[in-house]
Amino acid sequence: MFKKILIANRGEIACRVIKTARRMGIATVAVYSDADARAPFVRMADEAVHIGPSPASESYLIADRIIEACKATGAEAVHPGYGFLSERTSFAEALAKENIAFIGPPVNAIAAMGDKIESKKLAKEAGVNVVPGFVGEIRDTEHAVEISNEIGYPVMMKASAGGGGKGMRLAYDEKDVREGFESVKREGLNSFGDDRVFIEKFILNPRHIEIQILGDQHGNILYLNERECSIQRRHQKVVEEAPSPFVTEKMRKAMGEQCVALSKAVGYYSAGTVELIVSGADPTGESFYFLEMNTRLQVEHPVTEAITGIDLVEQMIRVAAGEKLELTQDDIKIDGWAIENRVYAEDPYRGFLPSTGRLVRYSPPPASRHQAPFASSEVEMPIGRARLPGVSTSLDTNGDEKAGYIRVDDGVAEGGEVSIFYDPMIAKLITWGETRDEAADLQVAALDRFELEGLGHNIDFVSAIMQHPRFRSGELTTGFIAEEYPEGFHGAPADEAVTRALAAIAGFMASAEADRARRVDGQLGDRLDPPARWQVTIGDASHKVKLGRKHIKVDGEKVDIALEYTPGDRLVVAEIDGSELAVKVAKTRTGWRMTTRGAIHDVRVLPWHVAPLSAHMIEKVPPDLSKFLICPMPGLLVALHVGAGDKVEAGQPLATVEAMKMENILRAEKTGVVKSVNAAQGDSLAVDAVILELE
């Protein structure tokens, strides 16, 4: 077994690998860029080596610097994580030349599966179902249009070396192909150094299901069940779960055996994932097709670990060291249900625009102490499968404890920064329960306790998904987000029980604040009792809240509630009618901003005798900014499509801004003429920078 390994990655996956290596008694080496000098993974590793400036192209993507760090520290092997150099054959070959082990698959398998065009040919030869499409080289936009017309719309254009949702565009007609083909080529070139594109038929009502593969160097290959990853935005996964609510035992076996056959065809070993597109319109489950094989560990690997009890990182290390798998296919079982939500630095209330900045506050929900040993918790556990009792969900209306656990995989800390240089993922929240509903309930409860301030994030959004009736029914497709939130995200709907609870909590907090205020020293007169009657306005509805000595009434009805609040608290946890409600609170001029159950509520609280006067307050109308094209996020202006004097129509592309490795097309809100242009192609733009003005 290795004595020291180097992790050629950053963030949460670097932390994840370090934790397993530490448990195995293996020393670790971290490599870091300027931007990551104070990152948690650097502090966690036994040694750390600086490898360059912040841009990945000048640090994490330079193989020579990784190898130099291995030599300097005596690292015998490299775990590449995911992204960066994890699927780069030249990197694995360079390590082999230096007699440094690569904790991953063989070079020939990476090469075969890393090229999406060639991998489809190999899959077809191995007897794996493939999607109809064109897998040759596409010369130019006109050729792309011709191919798309032959296949039949809709079609998907993909960068051959792409991954992680980058270099992909869906086209419903010729116009979409002409508009998106060059953009796909640019994203492929910028992110992967390869501008080749292929086009395939887009499957209607598609479900994204993937099979986890694990093999050793002795010819043994297993499939570790499936993961459902259908809930995506811009082809990037947001929610993953295992098992899939759609897959039957017969489907699982058919998919698994085809994926094992493909893996054997390329001599695969280590962990890997075969991604499949499945037609949700076919209830037989037989319409599944090969998409691609990711020859690395997946971001969503924790859900497979949760239902199988297998530490995939440990298995990768053991396989790389030449050990034989101790498992057989019959040993692979499904225990319970696991769901993972990705917490991204993006603002769903502003069209999911990327968000960067400092984590002014970062307090994830506490990870369960009773969980599998490879989870993110620092608690040391014995090797083996842990049964997971004792975590009560706040949605358990019966007040009973349910078996389950919470796991948080992250690589950030309070005071750290989410920069423009890397992926916007902040953390992964994983929950395990005996049933799918229990795992989802735990997600909602944990997300309510997830405190994150300083930048935009998607916590409310993923909480809303967890509560959505369609998600609970299991009727998922990759179009879920577009179909369920066509007008964007504005918060999860709050039912009457939640609204009443918020009103009661707000009234209680207002009395506590008033009580503190009356105790300030130096005031004239008697110390009067704090107000006990409040008007609480949430949205368009106002509620009368009255506090008694032993109860709270909302609109004349008693609310059975127990809570504690000290002025200044950011999180209030209340027990209401036997269930728990966690609410994040932030003081405003006339009340609080209260966040719970996937929505933000601006709550105004006024004493009863003051409330009638609010009707006389003049409402401030915001200025009209529709004539300006404003940069919605920090980024690079990669294309400016119009100039001064040009006439534009509503919806017309005006500029393309690249942020966090993704291109964002900015369109005209209305018809007009370009009055002036304030930025040039290649400029680095700040958030809210004015790119151009319309007359």
PDB file of all heavy atoms in Angstrom, residues 607-628:
ATOM      1  N   PRO A 607     -46.416  47.510  15.952  1.00  0.00           N
ATOM      2  CA  PRO A 607     -47.393  47.453  17.044  1.00  0.00           C
ATOM      3  C   PRO A 607     -48.793  47.761  16.520  1.00  0.00           C
ATOM      4  O   PRO A 607     -48.957  48.512  15.554  1.00  0.00           O
ATOM      5  CB  PRO A 607     -46.901  48.548  18.001  1.00  0.00           C
ATOM      6  CG  PRO A 607     -45.459  48.747  17.663  1.00  0.00           C
ATOM      7  CD  PRO A 607     -45.352  48.502  16.194  1.00  0.00           C
ATOM      8  N   TRP A 608     -49.806  47.190  17.174  1.00  0.00           N
ATOM      9  CA  TRP A 608     -51.180  47.373  16.701  1.00  0.00           C
ATOM     10  C   TRP A 608     -51.533  48.843  16.545  1.00  0.00           C
ATOM     11  O   TRP A 608     -52.200  49.235  15.580  1.00  0.00           O
ATOM     12  CB  TRP A 608     -52.158  46.715  17.699  1.00  0.00           C
ATOM     13  CG  TRP A 608     -52.314  45.244  17.493  1.00  0.00           C
ATOM     14  CD1 TRP A 608     -51.517  44.438  16.741  1.00  0.00           C
ATOM     15  CD2 TRP A 608     -53.325  44.416  18.058  1.00  0.00           C
ATOM     16  NE1 TRP A 608     -51.955  43.143  16.807  1.00  0.00           N
ATOM     17  CE2 TRP A 608     -53.080  43.087  17.609  1.00  0.00           C
ATOM     18  CE3 TRP A 608     -54.420  44.643  18.906  1.00  0.00           C
ATOM     19  CZ2 TRP A 608     -53.873  42.010  17.969  1.00  0.00           C
ATOM     20  CZ3 TRP A 608     -55.217  43.562  19.269  1.00  0.00           C
ATOM     21  CH2 TRP A 608     -54.948  42.255  18.802  1.00  0.00           C
ATOM     22  N   HIS A 609     -51.115  49.683  17.489  1.00  0.00           N
ATOM     23  CA  HIS A 609     -51.535  51.084  17.445  1.00  0.00           C
ATOM     24  C   HIS A 609     -50.796  51.877  16.370  1.00  0.00           C
ATOM     25  O   HIS A 609     -51.209  52.970  16.008  1.00  0.00           O
ATOM     26  CB  HIS A 609     -51.342  51.751  18.819  1.00  0.00           C
ATOM     27  CG  HIS A 609     -49.900  51.874  19.239  1.00  0.00           C
ATOM     28  ND1 HIS A 609     -49.179  50.810  19.737  1.00  0.00           N
ATOM     29  CD2 HIS A 609     -49.048  52.936  19.227  1.00  0.00           C
ATOM     30  CE1 HIS A 609     -47.951  51.203  20.029  1.00  0.00           C
ATOM     31  NE2 HIS A 609     -47.847  52.490  19.724  1.00  0.00           N
ATOM     32  N   VAL A 610     -49.686  51.324  15.853  1.00  0.00           N
ATOM     33  CA  VAL A 610     -48.902  52.010  14.812  1.00  0.00           C
ATOM     34  C   VAL A 610     -49.290  51.524  13.417  1.00  0.00           C
ATOM     35  O   VAL A 610     -49.242  52.292  12.447  1.00  0.00           O
ATOM     36  CB  VAL A 610     -47.386  51.797  15.056  1.00  0.00           C
ATOM     37  CG1 VAL A 610     -46.559  52.367  13.903  1.00  0.00           C
ATOM     38  CG2 VAL A 610     -46.959  52.411  16.380  1.00  0.00           C
ATOM     39  N   ALA A 611     -49.705  50.287  13.320  1.00  0.00           N
ATOM     40  CA  ALA A 611     -49.959  49.659  12.023  1.00  0.00           C
ATOM     41  C   ALA A 611     -50.881  50.457  11.109  1.00  0.00           C
ATOM     42  O   ALA A 611     -50.600  50.575   9.902  1.00  0.00           O
ATOM     43  CB  ALA A 611     -50.501  48.250  12.229  1.00  0.00           C
ATOM     44  N   PRO A 612     -51.995  51.037  11.595  1.00  0.00           N
ATOM     45  CA  PRO A 612     -52.878  51.785  10.677  1.00  0.00           C
ATOM     46  C   PRO A 612     -52.197  52.952   9.979  1.00  0.00           C
ATOM     47  O   PRO A 612     -52.610  53.354   8.890  1.00  0.00           O
ATOM     48  CB  PRO A 612     -54.014  52.259  11.597  1.00  0.00           C
ATOM     49  CG  PRO A 612     -54.016  51.285  12.730  1.00  0.00           C
ATOM     50  CD  PRO A 612     -52.581  50.942  12.947  1.00  0.00           C
ATOM     51  N   LEU A 613     -51.135  53.500  10.593  1.00  0.00           N
ATOM     52  CA  LEU A 613     -50.463  54.659  10.000  1.00  0.00           C
ATOM     53  C   LEU A 613     -49.626  54.282   8.779  1.00  0.00           C
ATOM     54  O   LEU A 613     -49.266  55.147   7.981  1.00  0.00           O
ATOM     55  CB  LEU A 613     -49.562  55.324  11.047  1.00  0.00           C
ATOM     56  CG  LEU A 613     -50.261  55.793  12.331  1.00  0.00           C
ATOM     57  CD1 LEU A 613     -49.237  56.347  13.310  1.00  0.00           C
ATOM     58  CD2 LEU A 613     -51.316  56.851  12.012  1.00  0.00           C
ATOM     59  N   SER A 614     -49.322  53.001   8.628  1.00  0.00           N
ATOM     60  CA  SER A 614     -48.478  52.589   7.502  1.00  0.00           C
ATOM     61  C   SER A 614     -49.157  52.827   6.162  1.00  0.00           C
ATOM     62  O   SER A 614     -48.491  52.929   5.125  1.00  0.00           O
ATOM     63  CB  SER A 614     -48.107  51.110   7.640  1.00  0.00           C
ATOM     64  OG  SER A 614     -49.269  50.293   7.568  1.00  0.00           O
ATOM     65  N   ALA A 615     -50.483  52.924   6.163  1.00  0.00           N
ATOM     66  CA  ALA A 615     -51.209  53.170   4.908  1.00  0.00           C
ATOM     67  C   ALA A 615     -50.877  54.527   4.315  1.00  0.00           C
ATOM     68  O   ALA A 615     -51.101  54.767   3.122  1.00  0.00           O
ATOM     69  CB  ALA A 615     -52.712  53.056   5.154  1.00  0.00           C
ATOM     70  N   HIS A 616     -50.329  55.432   5.110  1.00  0.00           N
ATOM     71  CA  HIS A 616     -50.021  56.784   4.637  1.00  0.00           C
ATOM     72  C   HIS A 616     -48.585  56.929   4.146  1.00  0.00           C
ATOM     73  O   HIS A 616     -48.184  58.018   3.732  1.00  0.00           O
ATOM     74  CB  HIS A 616     -50.270  57.793   5.766  1.00  0.00           C
ATOM     75  CG  HIS A 616     -51.680  57.755   6.289  1.00  0.00           C
ATOM     76  ND1 HIS A 616     -52.755  58.228   5.575  1.00  0.00           N
ATOM     77  CD2 HIS A 616     -52.184  57.267   7.464  1.00  0.00           C
ATOM     78  CE1 HIS A 616     -53.871  58.049   6.274  1.00  0.00           C
ATOM     79  NE2 HIS A 616     -53.546  57.464   7.436  1.00  0.00           N
ATOM     80  N   MET A 617     -47.817  55.846   4.201  1.00  0.00           N
ATOM     81  CA  MET A 617     -46.427  55.905   3.750  1.00  0.00           C
ATOM     82  C   MET A 617     -46.373  55.872   2.226  1.00  0.00           C
ATOM     83  O   MET A 617     -47.097  55.121   1.574  1.00  0.00           O
ATOM     84  CB  MET A 617     -45.636  54.716   4.308  1.00  0.00           C
ATOM     85  CG  MET A 617     -45.550  54.700   5.831  1.00  0.00           C
ATOM     86  SD  MET A 617     -44.674  56.132   6.489  1.00  0.00           S
ATOM     87  CE  MET A 617     -43.011  55.763   5.939  1.00  0.00           C
ATOM     88  N   ILE A 618     -45.515  56.704   1.636  1.00  0.00           N
ATOM     89  CA  ILE A 618     -45.367  56.784   0.181  1.00  0.00           C
ATOM     90  C   ILE A 618     -44.427  55.672  -0.293  1.00  0.00           C
ATOM     91  O   ILE A 618     -43.339  55.494   0.258  1.00  0.00           O
ATOM     92  CB  ILE A 618     -44.818  58.158  -0.242  1.00  0.00           C
ATOM     93  CG1 ILE A 618     -45.786  59.257   0.190  1.00  0.00           C
ATOM     94  CG2 ILE A 618     -44.564  58.198  -1.752  1.00  0.00           C
ATOM     95  CD1 ILE A 618     -45.244  60.665  -0.040  1.00  0.00           C
ATOM     96  N   GLU A 619     -44.868  54.931  -1.303  1.00  0.00           N
ATOM     97  CA  GLU A 619     -44.063  53.831  -1.831  1.00  0.00           C
ATOM     98  C   GLU A 619     -43.001  54.353  -2.786  1.00  0.00           C
ATOM     99  O   GLU A 619     -43.278  55.183  -3.656  1.00  0.00           O
ATOM    100  CB  GLU A 619     -44.959  52.823  -2.556  1.00  0.00           C
ATOM    101  CG  GLU A 619     -44.215  51.583  -3.030  1.00  0.00           C
ATOM    102  CD  GLU A 619     -45.128  50.568  -3.692  1.00  0.00           C
ATOM    103  OE1 GLU A 619     -46.366  50.769  -3.657  1.00  0.00           O
ATOM    104  OE2 GLU A 619     -44.613  49.582  -4.246  1.00  0.00           O
ATOM    105  N   LYS A 620     -41.784  53.869  -2.621  1.00  0.00           N
ATOM    106  CA  LYS A 620     -40.679  54.287  -3.482  1.00  0.00           C
ATOM    107  C   LYS A 620     -40.653  53.414  -4.735  1.00  0.00           C
ATOM    108  O   LYS A 620     -40.613  52.185  -4.652  1.00  0.00           O
ATOM    109  CB  LYS A 620     -39.347  54.160  -2.736  1.00  0.00           C
ATOM    110  CG  LYS A 620     -38.164  54.701  -3.514  1.00  0.00           C
ATOM    111  CD  LYS A 620     -36.886  54.645  -2.683  1.00  0.00           C
ATOM    112  CE  LYS A 620     -35.701  55.206  -3.464  1.00  0.00           C
ATOM    113  NZ  LYS A 620     -34.442  55.147  -2.667  1.00  0.00           N
ATOM    114  N   VAL A 621     -40.698  54.044  -5.908  1.00  0.00           N
ATOM    115  CA  VAL A 621     -40.716  53.326  -7.179  1.00  0.00           C
ATOM    116  C   VAL A 621     -39.291  53.225  -7.725  1.00  0.00           C
ATOM    117  O   VAL A 621     -38.609  54.245  -7.857  1.00  0.00           O
ATOM    118  CB  VAL A 621     -41.624  54.033  -8.213  1.00  0.00           C
ATOM    119  CG1 VAL A 621     -41.610  53.275  -9.537  1.00  0.00           C
ATOM    120  CG2 VAL A 621     -43.036  54.172  -7.673  1.00  0.00           C
ATOM    121  N   PRO A 622     -38.807  52.023  -8.029  1.00  0.00           N
ATOM    122  CA  PRO A 622     -37.438  51.890  -8.546  1.00  0.00           C
ATOM    123  C   PRO A 622     -37.309  52.477  -9.944  1.00  0.00           C
ATOM    124  O   PRO A 622     -38.276  52.519 -10.706  1.00  0.00           O
ATOM    125  CB  PRO A 622     -37.222  50.374  -8.563  1.00  0.00           C
ATOM    126  CG  PRO A 622     -38.591  49.788  -8.654  1.00  0.00           C
ATOM    127  CD  PRO A 622     -39.479  50.722  -7.898  1.00  0.00           C
ATOM    128  N   PRO A 623     -36.116  52.944 -10.320  1.00  0.00           N
ATOM    129  CA  PRO A 623     -35.921  53.538 -11.647  1.00  0.00           C
ATOM    130  C   PRO A 623     -35.993  52.493 -12.751  1.00  0.00           C
ATOM    131  O   PRO A 623     -35.757  51.305 -12.521  1.00  0.00           O
ATOM    132  CB  PRO A 623     -34.505  54.136 -11.549  1.00  0.00           C
ATOM    133  CG  PRO A 623     -33.816  53.301 -10.509  1.00  0.00           C
ATOM    134  CD  PRO A 623     -34.871  52.943  -9.511  1.00  0.00           C
ATOM    135  N   ASP A 624     -36.318  52.923 -13.979  1.00  0.00           N
ATOM    136  CA  ASP A 624     -36.389  52.035 -15.137  1.00  0.00           C
ATOM    137  C   ASP A 624     -34.990  51.861 -15.722  1.00  0.00           C
ATOM    138  O   ASP A 624     -34.387  52.814 -16.219  1.00  0.00           O
ATOM    139  CB  ASP A 624     -37.332  52.638 -16.186  1.00  0.00           C
ATOM    140  CG  ASP A 624     -37.423  51.763 -17.437  1.00  0.00           C
ATOM    141  OD1 ASP A 624     -37.014  50.583 -17.358  1.00  0.00           O
ATOM    142  OD2 ASP A 624     -37.891  52.263 -18.475  1.00  0.00           O
ATOM    143  N   LEU A 625     -34.479  50.643 -15.653  1.00  0.00           N
ATOM    144  CA  LEU A 625     -33.134  50.358 -16.162  1.00  0.00           C
ATOM    145  C   LEU A 625     -33.173  49.533 -17.441  1.00  0.00           C
ATOM    146  O   LEU A 625     -32.146  49.022 -17.890  1.00  0.00           O
ATOM    147  CB  LEU A 625     -32.327  49.600 -15.092  1.00  0.00           C
ATOM    148  CG  LEU A 625     -32.112  50.321 -13.750  1.00  0.00           C
ATOM    149  CD1 LEU A 625     -31.369  49.398 -12.781  1.00  0.00           C
ATOM    150  CD2 LEU A 625     -31.352  51.619 -13.943  1.00  0.00           C
ATOM    151  N   SER A 626     -34.352  49.412 -18.058  1.00  0.00           N
ATOM    152  CA  SER A 626     -34.495  48.531 -19.212  1.00  0.00           C
ATOM    153  C   SER A 626     -33.715  49.010 -20.436  1.00  0.00           C
ATOM    154  O   SER A 626     -33.451  48.226 -21.338  1.00  0.00           O
ATOM    155  CB  SER A 626     -35.973  48.372 -19.576  1.00  0.00           C
ATOM    156  OG  SER A 626     -36.538  49.627 -19.943  1.00  0.00           O
ATOM    157  N   LYS A 627     -33.342  50.295 -20.464  1.00  0.00           N
ATOM    158  CA  LYS A 627     -32.592  50.791 -21.633  1.00  0.00           C
ATOM    159  C   LYS A 627     -31.101  50.464 -21.541  1.00  0.00           C
ATOM    160  O   LYS A 627     -30.345  50.717 -22.486  1.00  0.00           O
ATOM    161  CB  LYS A 627     -32.798  52.290 -21.802  1.00  0.00           C
ATOM    162  CG  LYS A 627     -32.196  53.155 -20.698  1.00  0.00           C
ATOM    163  CD  LYS A 627     -32.410  54.631 -21.010  1.00  0.00           C
ATOM    164  CE  LYS A 627     -31.794  55.519 -19.929  1.00  0.00           C
ATOM    165  NZ  LYS A 627     -31.939  56.952 -20.252  1.00  0.00           N
ATOM    166  N   PHE A 628     -30.668  49.934 -20.416  1.00  0.00           N
ATOM    167  CA  PHE A 628     -29.260  49.571 -20.246  1.00  0.00           C
ATOM    168  C   PHE A 628     -29.083  48.059 -20.331  1.00  0.00           C
ATOM    169  O   PHE A 628     -29.910  47.300 -19.828  1.00  0.00           O
ATOM    170  CB  PHE A 628     -28.732  50.047 -18.886  1.00  0.00           C
ATOM    171  CG  PHE A 628     -28.780  51.531 -18.683  1.00  0.00           C
ATOM    172  CD1 PHE A 628     -29.746  52.099 -17.872  1.00  0.00           C
ATOM    173  CD2 PHE A 628     -27.859  52.368 -19.304  1.00  0.00           C
ATOM    174  CE1 PHE A 628     -29.807  53.465 -17.673  1.00  0.00           C
ATOM    175  CE2 PHE A 628     -27.904  53.739 -19.110  1.00  0.00           C
ATOM    176  CZ  PHE A 628     -28.885  54.286 -18.299  1.00  0.00           C
TER     177      PHE A 628
END
